[in-house]
Amino acid sequence: MTAYITKRLLIALVTILVASVIVFSMLEIVPGDPARVMLGMNATPEALQALRDQMGLDQPLLVRYFDWIGQLLVFDFGRSYTYNIPVRDLIAERVVVSLPLAIMALALSTLIAIPVGIFSAERRGRMADTLSMGAAQIGVAVPNFWFALLLVYVFAVWLRLVPAGGFPGWGAGAWPALKALILPAISLALPQAAILSRVTRSAMLDVLGEDYIRTARAKGMPRNVVLWHHALRNALIPVLTILGLQFAFLLAGTIIIENVFYLPGLGRLVFQAITQRDLIVVEGVVMLLVAVVVLVNLLVDLSYAVVDPRLRTSR
């Protein structure tokens, strides 16, 4: 087990290193000059050169890369070109919105998808299976931004139960803040629940045909024990894989939803930084998200060995 964990940690570190090279290189070839964006089109060449010197943009590419990596190692993401404040502070302001939103959406998706997947697998070929998987297919096909607009119209404009957008901040109280995240979380969760329910159904169908499940049923074990204890545990590996990917997506891929609901999260921060050519912000946020994705995948890999003890011995 120790060797397996060490191997996975080394793979994670190499992945982050390769990702840093790709992110830095891709952003360096993006057209545009951050200094000109900051000073405007009427800036003099002398002022532009002075600002480039101040921001270190006149340094060779490799020097800038290694300086950037050295800063990342001490959690220093540099200073924003646009706001002239540490990128770390910008990220801290936005992650308190994006992280709870991702957790709420993932929890809601899991609570919906796993029971639906188990219910559908147990009733394979029946009307209930057809209806639930048909609904899941619709959930996969419908864009989440369209569903978000529909939720705003019904629950914010028509019923006036929740705000249509904005975020009051956690200083206004836990309930007002959570209330502002309810509709975004639902609009993110339902399409992900549709995907996860189909994966859960497929994994459960593979397990329900095994001999030990038939043996458990022949011994007269209660239906819920067979489904939730024996079958679900052995079907969890593909489900955990999808959950890990979905959490990474929900944390990093919420740009459209955050713009629909005017949420000051990481997605909007990256979008604004790209339009303003604030590359240091883009690099910092993207690398943070890369690290989160790698960490989540590492935890998922380790959870495989917890769910299935055979993997501990085989690896």
Side-chain angles (χ1 to χ4, degrees):
M1 188 66 178
T2 303
Y4 174 66
I5 294 175
T6 303
K7 180 181 177 181
R8 299 307 303 173
L9 285 173
L10 289 175
I11 293 175
L13 292 175
V14 172
T15 302
I16 293 175
L17 181 61
V18 173
S20 70
V21 174
I22 295 174
V23 169
F24 186 83
S25 301
M26 292 296 292
L27 291 177
E28 284 298 318
I29 64 176
V30 173
D33 184 358
R36 186 169 293 280
V37 172
M38 294 176 64
L39 296 180
M41 298 300 296
N42 297 323
T44 63
E46 293 79 10
L48 289 172
Q49 187 59 44
L51 184 57
R52 292 189 188 103
D53 294 342
Q54 179 183 346
M55 295 189 300
L57 297 177
D58 60 326
Q59 297 293 324
L61 192 64
L62 284 177
V63 173
R64 297 210 313 271
Y65 171 74
F66 285 111
D67 287 344
W68 176 58
I69 288 296
Q71 291 176 332
L72 291 181
L73 292 176
V74 294
F75 298 99
D76 181 4
F77 297 94
R79 296 185 71 86
S80 168
Y81 301 155
T82 304
Y83 303 103
N84 196 29
I85 62 174
V87 177
R88 180 170 53 194
D89 294 345
L90 284 173
I91 293 175
E93 291 175 1
R94 306 302 183 97
V95 77
V96 296
V97 178
S98 294
L99 183 59
L101 175 60
I103 293 174
M104 288 175 62
L106 186 67
L108 182 59
S109 171
T110 305
L111 290 175
I112 295 173
I114 291 182
V116 169
I118 294 174
F119 174 85
S120 183
E122 190 189 15
R123 293 161 178 81
R124 179 182 183 182
R126 303 179 191 175
M127 182 61 69
D129 178 30
T130 303
L131 292 176
S132 59
M133 288 300 100
Q137 187 64 39
I138 294 173
V140 173
V142 173
N144 57 8
F145 69 87
W146 181 87
F147 190 65
L149 294 174
L150 181 62
L151 290 176
V152 168
Y153 176 75
V154 173
F155 293 99
V157 177
W158 185 32
L159 298 178
R160 299 182 183 275
L161 296 176
V162 291
F167 186 71
W170 295 102
W175 172 239
L178 291 174
K179 193 175 180 181
L181 297 178
I182 290 176
L183 291 187
I186 294 174
S187 62
L188 286 170
L190 290 185
Q192 301 305 312
I195 297 172
L196 186 60
S197 64
R198 293 176 66 87
V199 173
T200 303
R201 176 184 179 274
S202 298
M204 287 292 293
L205 287 177
D206 292 339
V207 172
L208 289 175
E210 297 291 337
D211 291 338
Y212 65 89
I213 297 296
R214 288 193 288 268
T215 301
R217 286 174 168 170
K219 289 181 178 180
M221 284 189 177
R223 167 180 161 274
N224 288 336
V225 174
V226 173
L227 287 175
W228 291 89
H229 180 70
H230 294 285
L232 179 60
R233 180 173 180 178
N234 289 280
L236 274 181
I237 287 183
V239 175
L240 290 173
T241 302
I242 297 300
L243 282 175
L245 295 174
Q246 287 187 343
F247 180 76
F249 166 78
L250 291 171
L251 187 60
T254 58
I255 295 177
I256 296 177
I257 295 300
E258 288 181 359
N259 278 279
V260 169
F261 290 97
Y262 300 100
L263 296 176
L266 289 175
R268 287 195 71 192
L269 176 62
V270 172
F271 178 77
Q272 293 166 350
I274 291 174
T275 59
Q276 297 164 346
R277 282 286 297 166
D278 202 344
L279 297 184
I280 194 69
V281 174
V282 179
E283 290 172 343
V285 175
V286 171
M287 283 308 302
L288 175 65
L289 295 176
V290 167
V292 170
V293 170
V294 171
L295 177 61
V296 169
N297 287 333
L298 176 63
L299 294 176
V300 169
D301 286 343
L302 297 179
S303 68
Y304 292 162
V306 175
V307 171
D308 191 348
R310 294 173 298 179
L311 298 178
R312 293 199 291 265
T313 58
S314 63
R315 297 185 185 184

